[in-house]
Amino acid sequence: MNEAWYRLLSILVFTVGFWEGPAAILYRIIGDDHGTTMRPVNYLEAPWNYVASATVIVAAFALLAVLDKGREKALARGRHASS
């Protein structure tokens, strides 16, 4: 997998993590949002939507860490192969 795929996956993971995490919480607190197709965690009732949003945030950070570690390994393999 080359760096372009890592960047694309990182952008997608960050976007979904942000939209379903902090953005969903803000929409719920400020706008009393009770769910749309773009923020399905807000379909959940009051305490559970915050738990689901926090879970999405943690999962997004974990996936970003895994993607970054994989990118570093791929770059190291590329440097090792070229030398």
Side-chain angles (χ1 to χ4, degrees), residues 1-3 6 69-79:
M1 190 183 300
N2 60 17
E3 188 165 348
Y6 284 111
K69 188 62 90 170
R71 179 180 162 270
E72 288 175 5
K73 286 181 181 179
L75 289 175
R77 277 194 306 262
R79 275 186 245 127

Side-chain angles (χ1 to χ4, degrees), residues 10-31:
S10 295
I11 290 169
L12 290 174
V13 167
F14 177 78
T15 302
V16 169
F18 178 78
W19 196 250
E20 292 298 318
I25 291 172
L26 287 174
Y27 272 97
R28 184 66 174 253
I29 291 172
I30 294 171

Side-chain angles (χ1 to χ4, degrees), residues 15-80:
T15 302
V16 169
F18 178 78
W19 196 250
E20 292 298 318
I25 291 172
L26 287 174
Y27 272 97
R28 184 66 174 253
I29 291 172
I30 294 171
D32 198 33
D33 182 29
H34 290 287
T36 64
T37 55
M38 294 298 290
R39 289 179 305 280
V41 295
N42 283 346
Y43 283 124
L44 299 171
E45 292 301 319
W48 296 110
N49 70 317
Y50 300 117
V51 172
S53 291
T55 304
V56 168
I57 292 169
V58 169
F61 275 117
L63 283 172
L64 286 172
V66 168
L67 285 171
D68 188 48
K69 188 62 90 170
R71 179 180 162 270
E72 288 175 5
K73 286 181 181 179
L75 289 175
R77 277 194 306 262
R79 275 186 245 127
H80 180 65

